[in-house]
C-alpha cells in the first residue's frame, strides 16, 4: 500500500545527516507500508503512484512526536491531592501522609485488566491526537508481582491493538510496597532475585527504571536493581535528582543507562557522568510546573555539556497530570529557556535515543518509519507561539493516516472518564 503526502509547505526531517532541523519547502513524501520510500519536491510528484493521497495544504510536516517518559497505566485519580497542594501541602508531605504513589497502587491493584486496558487505551489515543506516535509507558502502580505483570500484559495487548509504538518499562522500584514498609532491602532482594528475572523471561519490558530518591530507593539499592536488570537483558533508566541531589545521575552515567530523567537538582558531577556514559537527559518540566517547584532542570548546562536532552510529559496521576506533550514543549521554551530547535529535537531525535529506537525514528528519511504529524501551521515558529492549542491536523502512524477528528472522536467515545 502506497501513501503520498503532498503540498507540504515546510518539511522538517530532523535528519541528523542534514543541517539544523532539515527544513525544506514545497515537499512531498511517499510511503510504502510502514516506511518512507521517497522524499522530494511536490512538483516532481505523480500522484497516480499512490493508493492514498493526503494533501498537506501548504502546512508544516514533522516526524511523529515521541513521549519517552510516562506512567500512563494506572487506575483511579488523585484530584484531591491537587486541591491539597493548592492549600499549601507539598508533594512529599502528601505522600508521607497516606497519599502519593501508594494511593494509586491501591486502586491499580483492585482494577481488572479490562479496566486498565480501557483507561490506558483512551489515554494513549488522546496522546496520539496530540501528535505522539511513540510512547514509553512504565509500570509501577502495582509493585506486587501479579499487578505489575497485569499492567505489562495490558501494555502488550495495547501494542498489538493500537497503531502507535508502546515502549514498556518495568518500574517495580517505583515505591516500597506497603507490605515491605521499613524493609526496603528485602524488597530489593525480591526485585533482583525474582521479579526482574520473571519480567525479562516473559519479554514484558524493554527497560527497567528505578525511583532513586530520598525515602524511596537510595543509590546502593538503585545500583543493585539496575545491575540485576542489565544482567537479565533489560536496558536502564533512572529517576534521578528529582527532589534532591542524591547521586542517581552519576549512577546512570556509570552504568551506561540509556537515560536519566527529571534531574532538577543535577550538579556538575552528574552532568559530566551523563556525558561520559552517553546517557540522554530526559527533562520533564511539566512536573516542576504542576508541583509549582521553584527549580527547573538546568537544560542549558546539559545542552552546553553536549548531553542529548529529551523532553517528555511524565504523565502520571500525582506529580504531573499533563498528557499533552505540546504543552511540555511550551514549558521547555518558556520556563527552561530552550530554543525551538532544541525543543523539537527533544521530542523527536533525542527522545528516540531515550527509548533506544533512534535507528529508524525521530527523523524522516528514506527507510525511516512512516510516523509523521501534519500540522495546522505554516512553519515551526507558529507551533509553540500559540500555547495550549492543539494544531495537529492529522497523524500518519506506521504508514496509516488518521485525522485529529477521528482520534478525538474515538478517544471521547470510550466509556471510561
Ligand atoms: O515521575 N517520581 C516518581 N514517579 C512520578 C510520580 C508518581 C506519582 O506521584 O504517582 C514522577 O514524578
Ligand atoms: Fe516519572
Amino acid at each position: 500500500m502506497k501513501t503520498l503526502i503532498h503540498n507540504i509547505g515546510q518539511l522538517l526531517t530532523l535528519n541528523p545527516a542534514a543541517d539544523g532541523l532539515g527544513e525544506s519547502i514545497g515537499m512531498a513524501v511517499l510511503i510504502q507500508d510502514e516506511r518512507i520510500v521517497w522524499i522530494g519536491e511536490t512538483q516532481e510528484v505523480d500522484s497516480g503512484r499512490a493508493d492514498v493521497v493526503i494533501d498537506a495544504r501548504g502546512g508544516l510536516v514533522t516526524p511523529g512526536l515521541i513521549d519517552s517518559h510516562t506512567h500512563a497505566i494506572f487506575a483511579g485519580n488523585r484530584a484531591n491531592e491537587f486541591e491539597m497542594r493548592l492549600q499549601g501541602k507539598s508533594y512529599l508531605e502528601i505522600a508521607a501522609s497516606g497519599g502519593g504513589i501508594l494511593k494509586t497502587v491501591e486502586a491499580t491493584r483492585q482494577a481488572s485488566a479490562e479496566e486498565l486496558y480501557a483507561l490506558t487505551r483512551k489515554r494513549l489515543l488522546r496522546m496520539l491526537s496530540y501528535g505522539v506516535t511513540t510512547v514509553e509507558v512504565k509500570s509501577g502502580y502495582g509493585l506486587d508481582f501479579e499487578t505489575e505483570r497485569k499492567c505489562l500484559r495490558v501494555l502488550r495487548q495495547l501494542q498489538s491493538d493500537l497503531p502507535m509504538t508502546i515502549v514498556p518499562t518495568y518500574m517495580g522500584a517505583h515505591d516500597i510496597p506497603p507490605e515491605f514498609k521499613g524493609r526496603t532491602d528485602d524488597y530489593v532482594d525480591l526485585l533482583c532475585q525474582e521479579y526482574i528475572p520473571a519480567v525479562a523471561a516473559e519479554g514484558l519490558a524493554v527497560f527497567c527504571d528505578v525511583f532513586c530518591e530520598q525515602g524511596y530507593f537510595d543509590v546502593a539499592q538503585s545500583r543493585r536493581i539496575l545491575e540485576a536488570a542489565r544482567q537479565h537483558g533489560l536496558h536502564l533508566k533512572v529517576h534521578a535528582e528529582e527532589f534532591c541531589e542524591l547521586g542517581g545521575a552519576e549512577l546512570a552515567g556509570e552504568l551506561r543507562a540509556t537515560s536519566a530523567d527529571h534531574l532538577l537538582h543535577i550538579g556538575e558531577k552528574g552532568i559530566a557522568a551523563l556525558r561520559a556514559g552517553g546517557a540522554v537527559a530526559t527533562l520533564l518540566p511539566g512536573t516542576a510546573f504542576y508541583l509549582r517547584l521553584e527549580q527547573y532542570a538546568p537544560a542549558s548546562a546539559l545542552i552546553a555539556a553536549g548531553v542529548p536532552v529529551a523532553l517528555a510529559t511524565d504523565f502520571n496521576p500525582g506529580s504531573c497530570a499533563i498528557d499533552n506533550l505540546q504543552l511540555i514543549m511550551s514549558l521547555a521554551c518558556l520556563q527552561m529557556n530552550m530554543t525551538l530547535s532544541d525543543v523539537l529535537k527533544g521530542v523527536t531525535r533525542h527522545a528516540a535515543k531515550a527509548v533506544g529506537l533512534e535507528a529508524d525514528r525521530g527523523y524522516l528519511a528514506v527507510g525511516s518509519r512512516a510516523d509523521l504529524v501534519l500540522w495546522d501551521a505554516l512553519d515551526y515558529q507558529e507551533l509553540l507561539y500559540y500555547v495550549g492549542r492543539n494544531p495537529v491536523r492529522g497523524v500518519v502512524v506506521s504508514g496509516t493516516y488518521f485525522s485529529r477528528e477521528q482520534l478525538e472522536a474515538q478517544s471521547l467515545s470510550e466509556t471510561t472518564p
Side-chain angles (χ1 to χ4, degrees), residues 368-413:
S368 71
R369 257 179 88 88
D371 288 346
L372 305 92
V373 186
L374 284 76
W375 300 94
D376 184 24
L378 292 177
D379 67 55
Y380 74 86
Q381 287 178 331
E382 277 183 22
L383 262 193
L384 302 177
Y385 164 68
Y386 299 104
V387 176
R389 199 189 250 199
N390 180 8
V392 166
R393 215 173 238 168
V395 297
V396 174
V397 55
S398 201
T400 306
Y401 179 76
F402 298 90
S403 69
R404 189 180 89 201
E405 289 73 20
Q406 255 175 307
L407 295 169
E408 282 174 350
Q410 210 179 339
S411 165
L412 285 172
S413 71

Side-chain angles (χ1 to χ4, degrees), residues 14 62-66 343-353 361-363:
L14 273 297
T62 67
L65 308 185
I66 299 172
V343 165
L344 286 162
K345 288 177 192 164
V347 292
T348 55
R349 243 153 75 179
H350 295 165
K353 193 165 154 56
R361 77 188 72 194
Y363 69 99

Side-chain angles (χ1 to χ4, degrees), residues 33-68:
D33 304 322
E34 291 175 3
R35 303 269 151 196
I36 293 177
V37 292
W38 177 86
I39 299 179
E41 290 185 11
T42 281
Q43 60 201 38
E44 296 169 39
V45 164
D46 168 9
S47 47
R49 283 165 73 192
D51 307 293
V52 178
V53 178
I54 302 161
D55 186 349
R57 290 184 276 155
L60 170 73
V61 170
T62 67
L65 308 185
I66 299 172
D67 191 345
S68 61

Side-chain angles (χ1 to χ4, degrees), residues 69 71 78 91 100-101 104 141 171 174 211 239 242-243 262 284 287 314 316-319:
H69 180 139
H71 304 254
R78 308 214 302 269
Y91 177 80
I101 295 174
T104 303
Y141 288 115
M171 199 170 178
H174 194 196
F211 192 15
H239 276 61
E242 180 176 355
F243 295 103
H262 284 286
L284 310 157
T287 309
D314 194 25
N316 74 70
S319 68

